[in-house]
Amino acid sequence: MLSDNARGALLMMAGMASFTLSDAIMKLLASELPLFQTLLWRGLAVSLVLGLLVWRRGVFRIAIARGDRWLVALRTLADTAATWFFLQALYHTPIANLTAIMQALPLTVTLGGALFLGERVGWRRMTAIGVGFLGVLLIARPEAGGFDIYAVYALICIGLVTARDLLTRRMSRSVPSLMVALANAAAVMVFGLAGSVTEVFVTPAPYAAMLLAGTSLFIVGGYVLTVSAVRTGELGFVTPFRYTGLIWALVLGFVLFAEWPDTLTQLGAALVVGTGLFTFYRERVTVRRGRAPIPR
């Protein structure tokens, strides 16, 4: 019989596979539908599914404090902007490269927690963060004329998602996760609707409709699976399994788009993942020391 940690790890790996499949399908949709219309249709589908889950669980009846409502609103704005920058980068960047860059998020959130939330970060983790950022530079390295614009978009996305996660940390534990996810999906839908007025309307063909259904299903599945993972196993144990998304990105990039990262990108990805794992390890050490009995 599997332990809670083992089940949590499996759920996290399944969740990251689901998120990466959603991203790969979005990349396929780039040739089928304009960007904003894609956001509109996917946002509508995800909002309907999450809305049904929120309704069935009675989340709508839960009162949210005024301060938390502002945090949810700011988080939603940051995540909606991050979605646009991420998809711009995804459409023009190999999926494995972009996924590798996004693996720097645990490092940026750790740094942001130290800078803005007063969280304690020792010199070992600060060193790991520096090495991790070196890995990011190896992946999104400057060309002769400077950074490629889509690499810059990926870095902006990291900044926005970091802000989103820091805002999430400031929320009360009483704020339902499903409500936060629904607010974000609805905002993306409205953003897609507003932007679609600048595009020529395209009726989704059966193939595009199938892809839209797939990316919507996988993004909801990824959310449910990862939330279940952190509620099943210990956070410090299951969180490092987020890095399995990079393996899926490598496989899907090669199979679907004939993409394979070069040596420097692979080295940068290894640095980012390695330093991220070390950061999680140091966090667990710190937690265990905090729980240790004080000598008399």
Side-chain angles (χ1 to χ4, degrees), residues 227-290:
V227 169
S228 299
V230 298
R231 289 183 172 178
T232 301
E234 297 175 12
L235 185 62
F237 183 87
V238 303
T239 299
F241 287 92
R242 287 181 180 273
Y243 290 119
T244 57
L246 182 55
I247 299 173
W248 281 98
L250 287 167
V251 172
L252 292 172
F254 181 75
V255 172
L256 296 179
F257 310 107
E259 301 168 347
W260 190 257
D262 58 24
T263 303
L264 282 178
T265 299
Q266 294 177 49
L267 176 59
L271 284 175
V272 172
V273 172
T275 52
L277 291 173
F278 178 79
T279 299
F280 286 124
Y281 164 74
R282 289 303 306 172
E283 185 172 355
R284 294 193 74 187
V285 169
T286 302
V287 170
R288 283 201 298 269
R289 286 178 177 172

Side-chain angles (χ1 to χ4, degrees), residues 202-227:
V202 177
T203 302
Y207 176 65
M210 181 182 67
L211 293 178
L212 283 169
T215 186
S216 302
L217 175 66
F218 282 123
I219 200 168
V220 173
Y223 171 76
V224 173
L225 288 166
T226 52
V227 169

Side-chain angles (χ1 to χ4, degrees), residues 102-133 158-159 161-167 169 235-236 239-240 242-243 272-284 286-287:
M102 298 305 293
Q103 302 309 308
L105 272 170
L107 304 176
T108 59
V109 172
T110 299
L111 180 60
L115 293 177
F116 301 109
L117 301 182
E119 297 179 356
R120 295 183 61 184
V121 178
W123 67 269
R124 293 180 180 87
R125 280 193 283 175
M126 289 299 294
T127 302
I129 290 170
V131 174
F133 288 156
I158 286 179
V161 175
T162 300
R164 178 202 70 185
D165 287 354
L166 294 178
L167 288 166
R169 286 190 181 184
L235 185 62
T239 299
R242 287 181 180 273
Y243 290 119
V272 172
V273 172
T275 52
L277 291 173
F278 178 79
T279 299
F280 286 124
Y281 164 74
R282 289 303 306 172
E283 185 172 355
R284 294 193 74 187
T286 302
V287 170

Side-chain angles (χ1 to χ4, degrees), residues 175-205:
V175 178
S177 299
L178 274 176
M179 184 66 78
V180 175
L182 176 60
N184 183 74
V188 170
M189 178 185 65
V190 172
F191 180 61
L193 177 62
S196 63
V197 300
T198 65
E199 301 169 338
V200 177
F201 181 77
V202 177
T203 302

Side-chain angles (χ1 to χ4, degrees), residues 11-24 218 222 225-226 241-242 244-246 248-249 252:
L11 287 167
M12 182 61 76
M13 287 189 284
M16 296 317 297
S18 192
F19 277 132
T20 310
L21 282 165
S22 176
D23 292 341
F218 282 123
L225 288 166
T226 52
F241 287 92
R242 287 181 180 273
T244 57
L246 182 55
W248 281 98
L252 292 172

